[in-house]
Amino acid sequence: MKTRVLITLVVIALLGCNKENVSPQFEIVSNPAFETLFLTSELPDDVGENSSGILFQDPRDAMGLDDGSMLINIGGRVYKYSNGIFIEKIANNAQHIAKTSDGNIYILGRDALYTSTDGGESFTIQEKIISNLGTDYALDVYYNGAPNRIVVQKITGGEYIMWLTREYEYHLGGTGFTQTQYINYAFTSTNGINWTFKENEGFKFTGYVIGIQEDGTSLFVEINLGDGINFNPNPYTLHGSKDLGKTDEILIEAKPNLPNVLSPTNKIFAINSISHNDRFESGFSQWNESSWVNLNPTIDEKAQNTNNNQLNVLRVNFTVDGRMILVNSVGIYISNKSF
């Protein structure tokens, strides 16, 4: 009898420990409400103006800074934004903005990398970061385009990992169809400033990295291209790798959702739209370890009036306190909840 009681107590204790240690990425963030930060129509006349005096005022990315301000990419120029004031930081050809857990900020330009170690106050530039790798890469960038995605992280142990990705449209000869394809470049660094290109590393699949966890796991979305014409019922798979793609494990068989966002607390999301019309369904869900959960987000009246039927999301980023920033071509929106 005593033995049975002891075994029962041990089991109960173990179950209690497991329950208390559930990983936080599976806590579901239900019913977030998004407020419009600003719309393109509200921008000052000189924000987004290029050297020829032409305005490109489409928001492309935004990220929260430690002091409560934001870095915002508008038309390829990056501004520090706070209380309606825009201060230009980078003048041209900016793509994505990324930040590491230790506060380094990286902005991918056209074949250039801008780095800030002082919270976005100043940036150093490394020119031709891809084309300097060698003639083959230079020709590839020249003919097919430079990288337009960046993911970077400082991992446990102090090393930095960076992935640059070129997303481009490949024309299927004679069919009239195109496919979105990807080429990935892996880099490592000991200080977050000087990078070593890992020429022989990379995933065996077509796709791109959505994030890097602090234990060094790169999360890679495999895109099953099919033949470009016939529907593929299982087009997406999420892989994880701790050795830059040499080996990997499948984390999510992701149909029908496309995982494309990793939050600072390692939550995985599939985000592409918020609907405010009954004819459409929001594409806004979170992975809960076994399935996708629709979060039922809402947007304010200003966003509804500007985005017909649904708010299509082009880019997702976060504030320092974990609130989600959504970006599309007509505005920037911020959540009332942390993720």
Coordinates of all heavy atoms in Angstrom, one line a residue, residues 35 40 58-59 64 107 109 133 141 151 160 172-174 184 186-187 194 228 244 248 278 298 300 306 316 322 331 336:
E35 N -4.9 49.3 -33.4 CA -5.2 50.7 -33.6 C -4.2 51.3 -34.7 O -3.1 50.9 -34.8 CB -4.9 51.4 -32.3 CG -5.1 52.9 -32.3 CD -4.8 53.6 -31.0 OE1 -4.5 52.9 -30.0 OE2 -4.8 54.8 -31.0
T40 N -0.8 56.5 -44.7 CA 0.0 57.2 -45.7 C -0.5 58.6 -46.0 O 0.2 59.5 -46.2 CB 0.0 56.3 -47.0 OG1 0.6 55.0 -46.7 CG2 0.8 57.0 -48.1
D58 N 4.9 54.7 -49.4 CA 4.4 53.4 -49.0 C 5.2 52.9 -47.8 O 6.4 52.6 -47.9 CB 4.4 52.4 -50.1 CG 5.8 52.2 -50.7 OD1 6.4 53.2 -51.0 OD2 6.2 51.1 -50.9
P59 N 4.6 52.6 -46.7 CA 5.3 52.0 -45.5 C 5.7 50.6 -45.9 O 4.9 49.8 -46.5 CB 4.2 52.0 -44.4 CG 3.2 53.1 -44.8 CD 3.2 53.0 -46.3
G64 N 9.8 48.7 -33.0 CA 9.9 49.5 -31.8 C 11.3 49.6 -31.3 O 12.1 48.6 -31.3
I107 N 19.5 46.9 -40.7 CA 18.7 47.3 -41.8 C 19.3 46.8 -43.1 O 20.4 47.1 -43.4 CB 18.4 48.8 -41.9 CG1 17.7 49.2 -40.6 CG2 17.5 49.1 -43.1 CD1 17.5 50.7 -40.5
G109 N 19.8 47.0 -46.9 CA 19.6 47.8 -48.1 C 19.8 47.0 -49.3 O 19.9 45.8 -49.3
L133 N 31.2 38.8 -52.2 CA 31.6 37.4 -51.9 C 32.3 36.7 -53.0 O 32.9 35.7 -52.8 CB 30.3 36.6 -51.5 CG 29.5 37.1 -50.3 CD1 28.2 36.3 -50.1 CD2 30.4 37.0 -49.0
V141 N 23.6 38.7 -58.2 CA 22.9 39.9 -57.7 C 22.6 40.9 -58.8 O 21.5 41.5 -58.8 CB 23.8 40.5 -56.6 CG1 23.2 41.9 -56.2 CG2 23.8 39.7 -55.3
V151 N 17.0 38.1 -41.4 CA 16.7 37.6 -40.1 C 18.0 37.5 -39.4 O 19.0 36.9 -40.0 CB 16.0 36.2 -40.2 CG1 15.8 35.6 -38.8 CG2 14.6 36.3 -40.9
Y160 N 26.5 35.3 -33.3 CA 25.4 35.8 -34.1 C 25.2 35.0 -35.3 O 26.1 34.5 -36.0 CB 25.6 37.3 -34.5 CG 25.8 38.3 -33.3 CD1 26.9 38.3 -32.6 CD2 24.7 39.1 -33.0 CE1 27.0 39.2 -31.5 CE2 24.8 40.1 -32.0 CZ 26.0 40.1 -31.2 OH 26.1 41.0 -30.2
L172 N 8.0 30.7 -65.7 CA 8.0 29.3 -66.3 C 7.8 29.4 -67.8 O 6.8 29.8 -68.3 CB 6.8 28.5 -65.7 CG 6.9 28.3 -64.1 CD1 5.6 27.7 -63.6 CD2 8.1 27.5 -63.7
G173 N 8.9 29.1 -68.5 CA 9.0 29.3 -69.9 C 7.8 28.7 -70.7 O 7.5 27.5 -70.5
G174 N 7.1 29.5 -71.5 CA 6.1 29.0 -72.3 C 4.7 28.8 -71.7 O 3.8 28.5 -72.4
N184 N 18.9 31.7 -50.3 CA 19.3 32.1 -48.9 C 20.8 32.1 -48.8 O 21.5 31.3 -49.3 CB 18.6 31.1 -48.0 CG 17.1 31.2 -48.0 OD1 16.5 32.1 -47.4 ND2 16.5 30.2 -48.7
A186 N 23.7 32.4 -45.6 CA 23.9 32.3 -44.2 C 25.2 32.9 -43.8 O 26.2 32.8 -44.5 CB 23.9 30.8 -43.8
F187 N 25.2 33.6 -42.7 CA 26.3 34.3 -42.1 C 26.4 34.1 -40.6 O 25.4 33.9 -40.0 CB 26.3 35.8 -42.3 CG 26.3 36.3 -43.8 CD1 25.1 36.2 -44.5 CD2 27.4 36.7 -44.4 CE1 25.0 36.6 -45.8 CE2 27.4 37.2 -45.7 CZ 26.2 37.1 -46.4
N194 N 31.3 42.1 -37.8 CA 32.0 41.5 -38.9 C 31.5 40.1 -39.2 O 31.4 39.2 -38.3 CB 33.5 41.4 -38.6 CG 34.1 42.7 -38.2 OD1 34.4 42.9 -37.0 ND2 34.2 43.6 -39.1
G228 N 3.6 24.9 -60.6 CA 3.1 26.3 -60.9 C 1.7 26.4 -61.4 O 1.2 27.5 -61.6
L244 N 22.5 25.5 -39.3 CA 22.3 26.2 -40.5 C 21.9 25.4 -41.7 O 22.2 25.6 -42.9 CB 23.6 27.0 -40.9 CG 24.2 28.0 -39.9 CD1 25.5 28.6 -40.3 CD2 23.1 29.0 -39.5
D248 N 18.1 18.9 -40.1 CA 16.9 19.6 -39.7 C 15.8 18.6 -39.2 O 15.9 17.4 -39.5 CB 16.3 20.5 -40.8 CG 15.7 19.6 -41.9 OD1 16.5 19.3 -42.8 OD2 14.5 19.4 -41.9
D278 N -18.0 40.4 -43.6 CA -18.5 39.0 -43.4 C -18.2 38.1 -44.6 O -18.2 36.9 -44.5 CB -20.0 39.0 -43.2 CG -20.3 39.6 -41.8 OD1 -19.4 39.7 -41.0 OD2 -21.5 40.0 -41.6
T298 N -9.3 42.4 -34.4 CA -10.1 43.5 -34.9 C -9.2 44.7 -35.3 O -8.1 44.8 -34.7 CB -11.2 43.9 -33.9 OG1 -10.5 44.3 -32.7 CG2 -12.1 42.7 -33.6
D300 N -9.4 49.2 -35.9 CA -10.3 50.4 -35.6 C -10.9 50.9 -36.8 O -10.7 50.5 -38.0 CB -9.4 51.4 -34.9 CG -8.3 52.0 -35.7 OD1 -8.3 51.7 -36.9 OD2 -7.4 52.7 -35.1
T306 N -10.1 52.7 -44.5 CA -9.0 52.8 -45.5 C -8.7 51.5 -46.2 O -8.2 51.5 -47.3 CB -7.7 53.3 -44.7 OG1 -8.0 54.5 -44.0 CG2 -6.6 53.7 -45.8
V316 N 5.3 42.2 -40.5 CA 5.0 42.1 -39.1 C 6.3 42.3 -38.3 O 7.3 41.8 -38.6 CB 4.4 40.8 -38.7 CG1 4.1 40.7 -37.2 CG2 3.1 40.5 -39.6
G322 N 6.6 43.8 -26.8 CA 6.0 42.7 -27.4 C 4.7 42.9 -28.2 O 4.1 42.0 -28.7
G331 N -0.7 52.1 -44.4 CA -0.6 52.5 -43.0 C 0.1 51.5 -42.2 O 0.6 50.5 -42.6
N336 N -3.1 46.1 -29.1 CA -3.3 46.4 -27.7 C -2.8 45.3 -26.8 O -2.9 45.5 -25.5 CB -4.8 46.7 -27.4 CG -5.6 45.4 -27.6 OD1 -5.3 44.5 -28.2 ND2 -6.8 45.5 -27.0

